[in-house]
């Protein structure tokens, strides 16, 4: 049986939103010893993304446990305790694989147990975003869950031609890439599929928050099924002036002037843009319709 901490993993995409340590008991993996290579965006040993769960069960044997992400979701987690693997399944196909065993290395030699410093020396810090305790490299198809400067889990997911990211430009009061304010949210669903989570908001009535944290680093709030605001949590997007997640607080003030400050948020409502500042750096950038 899993511990209560392990039960907190409610879905595979949300595993990257505060994933906890899973199945760290060392054992002899059932996968062939000569084929345990982690290939970002593609495979872990003989297990390939987009394979059917039936094909994977033929390799691994029956799962120890399965868990539905949410009652209304088609996502499932298949837990294979002996191999220290979790398969994320969407519509009977593998959409992601979580590795919790140090016997599975990447080509660069990074594995569970490697240090944060070792990982960053090989993968760098550009074009990644943070989601809870996870460092996500969406253009590589890999994420590393880090606890106390050490990798505790590795997650691979399918690389996508992200047409919604487009040019990656954040235009205040208008768009972030091709995520355009007041456009139908159905476009997002068609391209990105279901969000990691969706929450109905009380104010204003009819608003819904859609979180695409694990792979996209984006939060969208809709009003009556149209995009009302977009929040960017990844350095893959930037303003025409070059501001992005990770830019300095002083750069924001230099380019935009004195903001309206509310807690950690620097807002420029007349421009339709705001910045969340943490530790004197930009953590999030949000766009909304300009208000006079």
């Amino acid at each position: 049986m899993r511990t209560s901490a392990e039960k907190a993993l409610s879905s595979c995409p949300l595993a990257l939103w505060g994933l906890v340590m899973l199945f760290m008991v060392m054992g002899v993996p059932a996968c062939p010893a000569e084929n345990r290579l982690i290939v970002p965006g593609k495979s872990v040993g003989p297990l390939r993304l987009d394979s059917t769960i039936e094909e994977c069960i033929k390799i691994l044997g029956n799962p120890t446990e399965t868990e539905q992400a949410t009652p209304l979701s088609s996502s499932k987690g298949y837990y294979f305790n002996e191999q220290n693997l979790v398969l994320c399944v969407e519509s009977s196909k593998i959409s992601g694989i979580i590795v919790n065993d140090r016997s599975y290395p990447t080509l660069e030699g990074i594995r569970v147990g490697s240090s944060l410093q070792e990982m960053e020396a090989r993968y760098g810090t550009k074009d990644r975003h943070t989601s809870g305790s996870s460092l996500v490299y969406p253009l590589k198809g890999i994420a590393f869950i880090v606890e106390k400067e050490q990798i505790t889990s590795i997650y691979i997911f399918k690389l996508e031609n992200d047409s919604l990211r487009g040019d990656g430009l954040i235009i205040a009061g208008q768009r972030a890439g091709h995520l355009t304010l007041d456009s139908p949210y159905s476009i997002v669903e068609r391209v990105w599929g279901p969000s990691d989570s969706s929450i109905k908001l009380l104010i204003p009535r009819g608003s819904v928050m859609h979180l695409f944290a694990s792979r996209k680093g984006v939060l969208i709030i809709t009003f009556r099924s149209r995009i009302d605001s977009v929040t960017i949590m990844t350095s893959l997007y930037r303003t025409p002036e070059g501001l992005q997640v990770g830019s300095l607080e002083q750069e924001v003030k230099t380019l935009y002037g004195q903001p309206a400050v509310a807690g950690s948020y620097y807002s420029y409502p007349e421009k339709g843009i705001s910045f969340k500042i943490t530790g004197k750096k930009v953590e999030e950038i949000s766009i909304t319709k300009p208000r006079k």
Side-chain angles (χ1 to χ4, degrees), residues 42-59:
K42 292 184 178 180
S43 61
V44 174
L47 307 170
R48 299 188 64 83
L49 297 179
D50 263 352
S51 297
T52 65
I53 185 59
E54 289 80 13
E55 290 170 327
C56 293
I57 287 175
K58 287 180 182 178
I59 297 171

Side-chain angles (χ1 to χ4, degrees), residues 71-267:
L72 299 178
S73 173
S74 62
S75 299
K76 272 189 178 181
Y78 285 71
Y79 297 80
F80 296 85
N81 293 19
E82 184 181 351
Q83 298 90 351
N84 288 322
L85 296 172
V86 182
L87 302 186
C88 309
V89 179
E90 285 271 359
S91 302
S92 298
K93 289 198 172 184
I94 308 304
S95 60
I97 303 172
I98 301 171
V99 177
N100 302 294
D101 193 307
R102 63 175 294 109
S103 65
Y104 298 84
T106 67
L107 190 61
E108 297 82 5
I110 300 301
R111 62 184 74 217
V112 169
S114 295
S115 69
L116 172 62
Q117 186 178 12
E118 288 176 303
M119 184 274 287
E120 289 185 336
R122 289 164 176 79
Y123 285 84
T125 58
K126 186 181 178 183
D127 292 338
R128 81 176 185 195
H129 67 266
T130 301
S131 177
S133 59
S134 307
L135 299 174
V136 185
Y137 292 83
L139 301 184
K140 293 182 171 69
I142 193 167
F144 301 92
I145 293 81
V146 178
E147 300 285 348
K148 297 180 179 178
E149 304 289 305
Q150 191 174 56
I151 294 171
T152 59
S153 297
I154 298 173
Y155 175 65
I156 71 159
F157 50 89
K158 188 178 176 182
L159 285 170
E160 299 172 0
N161 179 15
D162 198 342
S163 58
L164 287 179
R165 186 165 67 87
D167 57 11
L169 276 180
I170 300 172
I171 307 299
Q174 297 181 38
R175 66 180 179 90
H178 292 313
L179 296 167
T180 304
L181 297 181
D182 209 33
S183 64
Y185 179 69
S186 58
I187 296 173
V188 179
E189 291 181 306
R190 190 161 61 246
V191 178
W192 283 356
S195 60
D196 295 346
S197 64
S198 296
I199 301 172
K200 290 183 179 180
L201 304 178
L202 296 177
I203 300 175
R205 190 178 182 88
S207 294
V208 181
M209 181 176 69
H210 308 273
L211 184 62
F212 292 88
S214 58
R215 300 185 210 177
K216 306 299 182 184
V218 172
L219 184 152
I220 298 171
I221 292 180
T222 59
F223 179 65
R224 294 177 180 172
S225 300
R226 304 188 80 85
I227 297 176
D228 195 51
S229 72
V230 179
T231 297
I232 301 299
M233 300 171 283
T234 171
S235 60
L236 294 176
Y237 298 77
R238 63 198 66 199
T239 68
E241 302 87 0
L243 290 177
Q244 63 189 94
V245 169
S247 293
L248 297 177
E249 169 191 9
Q250 189 55 48
E251 292 179 275
V252 175
K253 290 182 177 179
T254 299
L255 289 167
Y256 285 84
Q258 193 62 31
V261 180
S264 59
Y265 290 89
Y266 286 13
S267 299

